[in-house]
Amino acid sequence: MNVKLPAKSADIPLSDEGVVYHIAAAASNIADKIILVGDPSRVPLAATYFDPGSLEFDQSHREIRTMTGKYRGQRVTVLSSGMGTDNMEIIMNELHILKEYDVQTSSWTNDKKEISLIRVGTCGSPQDVPIGTLAISRHALGLDNTCQYYAANEAILGKDVARLKAIANQTELGQVGVYAASAHPDITRALKDAAQKHAPNRPSIVGITASASGFFACQGRVVGRFAEHMRFPDLVDILSTIELPIEGEPLPEKVINLEMENSSLCYLAGLLGYKAGTICAIISTRSGPQRAFATPEQSKAALHDALTIGFEALTA
């Protein structure tokens, strides 16, 4: 694709200097290895992992905070997406523009970039697992509608993804229609290896990450007078029944966590051929007898390990 567009295009929100609209950064400010967090306050926290004195870029615009430096000598950008799959869609499109659109010629470069993205966040789980467990995504289940505006065939997404989508839509979730995607296997493998090496005492699990577009009804939380209007008050129970048989694996893959960004990240990265994946600290268990929520100390310790693993996997 090498379509020349007007210098000022509503489809490509770039300034004359090549600064993209929402991220408020130019291509030269963004590394090819990217750590994504939801909360902008986590960006400076993650940047403390940079090599001393290596910070080269620091920008804040709306809920998007961007900092670029080096980790073990490799250039890395930490960027906040804000909350939700819709925000992640903005981030992914604007990264695509920065990496593959030439502002000088107002055209796409046809130069496919090798981009790696790892989301590090927090989540809940529909499984009865210990608080502080790290959830590593192998597949993604989109309970949102963000990526329903994109289309991909099985050749791009893979047979397991098609099967997961079919299995999920055989449940009550078929009433709204859900989509599926996968993390890049290289990222999943790197996260698993880094977890074993750098946080051997921290439990971790690999499986399906479900993503919702909101926090309350979208994740099955029943609140006050909204209760009578809930479409899926048993959403957590529905998710806990979804199982994906994997060839060569003794047990089927289960939905291990529920958050708000991974489906959009994995789906859109897959369309572009970028490598993406997610590791999240489980800070609440939504099933089982206790339905526990992590203390601030537990959350901080688990997030520290998740960030360490994310950086190590990204630069392996």
Side-chain angles (χ1 to χ4, degrees):
M1 179 173 58
N2 193 24
V3 179
K4 186 174 178 62
L5 296 173
K8 296 289 187 181
S9 169
D11 291 342
I12 312 295
L14 278 170
S15 73
D16 292 337
E17 295 75 28
V19 174
V20 73
Y21 184 66
H22 295 92
I23 297 177
S28 60
N29 304 134
I30 307 297
D32 291 343
K33 298 178 185 292
I34 301 167
I35 292 284
L36 294 164
V37 296
D39 185 349
S41 70
R42 286 182 184 158
V43 175
L45 170 64
T48 64
Y49 291 67
F50 287 164
D51 298 343
S54 68
L55 179 67
E56 64 179 71
F57 181 73
D58 184 355
Q59 171 67 25
S60 182
H61 183 235
R62 300 189 182 190
E63 66 264 53
I64 301 171
R65 181 80 182 269
T66 309
M67 300 178 77
T68 298
K70 290 183 178 179
Y71 181 81
R72 299 192 187 279
Q74 297 189 47
R75 195 164 181 257
V76 175
T77 292
V78 181
L79 189 153
S80 63
S81 65
M83 292 185 291
T85 56
D86 53 340
N87 280 2
M88 185 63 77
E89 192 253 5
I90 293 172
I91 296 297
M92 291 300 296
N93 273 271
E94 294 200 353
L95 288 175
H96 178 41
I97 291 168
L98 290 175
K99 294 299 179 182
E100 300 185 42
Y101 187 79
D102 187 343
V103 68
Q104 299 300 321
T105 62
S106 300
S107 60
W108 294 97
T109 64
N110 287 328
D111 180 18
K112 182 181 175 182
K113 298 289 186 177
E114 293 187 6
I115 309 299
S116 298
L117 310 102
I118 294 180
R119 163 168 152 69
V120 179
T122 55
C123 64
S125 176
Q127 306 296 334
D128 188 10
V129 296
I131 286 293
T133 298
L134 300 180
I136 298 172
S137 307
R138 180 156 57 187
H139 289 99
L141 189 61
L143 311 183
D144 58 289
N145 75 340
T146 301
C147 291
Q148 304 286 17
Y149 292 84
Y150 297 82
N153 57 34
E154 186 178 293
I156 294 175
L157 297 178
K159 291 183 179 179
D160 283 343
V161 170
R163 289 168 56 231
L164 174 59
K165 178 181 176 181
I167 290 168
N169 280 299
Q170 288 170 4
T171 70
E172 295 95 314
L173 296 175
Q175 297 175 37
V176 294
V178 298
Y179 65 93
S182 66
H184 195 283
D186 289 351
I187 298 293
T188 301
R189 189 179 308 111
L191 287 169
K192 288 172 59 180
D193 291 345
Q196 293 172 1
K197 182 177 180 180
H198 297 282
N201 297 321
R202 171 79 56 184
S204 61
I205 51 176
V206 178
I208 303 163
T209 296
S211 302
S213 55
F215 186 78
F216 291 97
C218 302
Q219 295 190 32
R221 289 183 170 90
V222 181
V223 179
R225 290 187 292 111
F226 283 123
E228 61 185 291
H229 305 288
M230 291 278 289
R231 190 164 189 177
F232 301 111
D234 56 346
L235 177 64
V236 170
D237 293 332
I238 296 171
L239 292 176
S240 68
T241 67
I242 294 173
E243 295 186 343
L244 175 66
I246 301 292
E247 186 176 351
E249 296 285 344
L251 298 173
E253 193 172 78
K254 296 183 178 182
V255 177
I256 56 173
N257 63 324
L258 177 58
E259 48 83 269
M260 296 173 63
E261 288 85 31
N262 181 67
S263 58
S264 185
L265 168 64
C266 289
Y267 191 99
L268 297 177
L271 296 185
L272 296 175
Y274 296 169
K275 294 182 178 182
T278 293
I279 181 168
C280 284
I282 295 175
I283 63 170
S284 70
T285 51
R286 303 285 306 284
S287 66
Q290 295 187 353
R291 295 178 180 255
F293 198 90
T295 65
E297 293 76 16
Q298 288 174 318
S299 295
K300 182 178 179 180
L303 185 61
H304 166 73
D305 284 345
L307 281 168
T308 300
I309 292 164
F311 273 106
E312 290 290 336
L314 190 65
T315 56

